[in-house]
Amino acid sequence: MKLVCVGRNYAKHAEELRNEVPAEPVLFIKPDSALLPPGHDFYLPDLDSAIHYEAELVVRIDKPAKHVEERFAHRYYSQVTVGLDFTARDLQQRLKEKVLPWEKAKSFDGAAFLGAWQALGELKNWPQTSFQLFKNKTLVQQGKSEHMLHGVDRLIAYISRFFTLKTGDLIFTGTPAGVGPLAIGDHLSLY
Ligand code: ZN
């Protein structure tokens, strides 16, 4: 199982990190070892870097997908949740400056968290939905799916041109503005 993650999928988040808004989705992959086991606390890794939270909508692939057309992409997923894409931000910045791959900053053990799955059929307005992240009871991120530069169906079409998606693969669809650093003892709540 792999986690396919999308970077810069909300214009305001690209802006806050002073990144260009890309014409095509920016993709990177986390291995399954990056997934924080259910019920485990997240430990800040010793990577000489601030660790940022990124709250994101996540969908799970239901059946193998390769070269899927956007208009058929909705047949390949039926559940959504909110997850966290933990990022070693300073390390990522150092790698970006040297034009090196970001994996070390994104794919370390525990660098991905998943909330509880929700059937799309139970969501009133899907594909429109909203999500929130609270840090120590303060609202820090608020996203709306309609603000994604590339929606889930287009992402599945695009991703499946490059990588075969297998049953159980996860797509992290990018984070809205408001990312920030974590300190020991911080408590995160996702809705
Ligand atoms: Zn992210």
Side-chain angles (χ1 to χ4, degrees):
M1 187 263 274
K2 59 187 175 292
L3 291 62
V4 183
C5 307
V6 182
R8 305 179 197 170
N9 202 23
Y10 291 82
K12 281 185 182 157
H13 170 63
E15 224 171 80
E16 75 180 341
L17 295 184
R18 296 198 183 91
N19 286 321
E20 265 177 48
V21 175
E24 292 190 7
V26 173
L27 303 180
F28 58 94
I29 287 183
K30 298 189 194 229
D32 56 4
S33 51
L35 207 53
L36 194 65
H40 279 233
D41 287 339
F42 175 69
Y43 288 90
L44 291 171
D46 185 10
L47 296 174
D48 189 25
S49 172
I51 305 295
H52 278 201
Y53 54 79
E54 296 189 355
E56 318 200 349
L57 287 178
V58 183
V59 296
R60 180 164 55 188
I61 296 297
D62 287 341
K63 55 183 178 180
K66 187 176 177 66
H67 288 292
V68 173
E69 282 183 50
E70 182 174 341
R71 64 194 166 119
F72 299 127
H74 65 275
R75 298 179 183 171
Y76 289 81
Y77 64 101
S78 58
Q79 295 187 83
V80 66
T81 189
V82 192
L84 289 164
D85 165 19
F86 291 115
T87 304
R89 188 70 69 202
D90 305 316
L91 176 57
Q92 183 192 31
Q93 189 55 35
R94 291 196 292 272
L95 293 165
K96 276 161 73 176
E97 281 164 13
K98 292 181 190 160
V99 201
L100 290 170
W102 309 338
E103 266 81 356
K104 289 188 287 186
K106 285 284 196 182
S107 304
F108 52 85
D109 287 358
F113 171 83
L114 286 178
W117 291 105
Q118 178 91 45
L120 293 180
E122 290 167 11
L123 289 176
K124 243 198 251 159
N125 297 317
W126 182 262
Q128 294 191 359
T129 192
S130 59
F131 58 102
Q132 291 91 34
L133 171 66
F134 290 80
K135 184 174 97 165
N136 304 327
K137 295 186 178 161
T138 301
L139 178 66
V140 288
Q141 284 194 283
Q142 183 149 227
K144 281 183 187 290
S145 55
E146 59 262 42
H147 292 164
M148 285 184 197
L149 297 171
H150 307 282
V152 175
D153 291 356
R154 197 190 305 168
L155 289 173
I156 288 174
Y158 185 81
I159 291 166
S160 71
R161 283 166 51 191
F162 298 89
F163 315 121
T164 296
L165 290 167
K166 295 186 174 178
T167 305
D169 283 353
L170 304 173
I171 299 179
F172 279 65
T173 59
T175 197
V179 301
L182 290 167
I184 291 170
D186 277 345
H187 187 265
L188 301 176
S189 314
L190 290 160
Y191 298 91

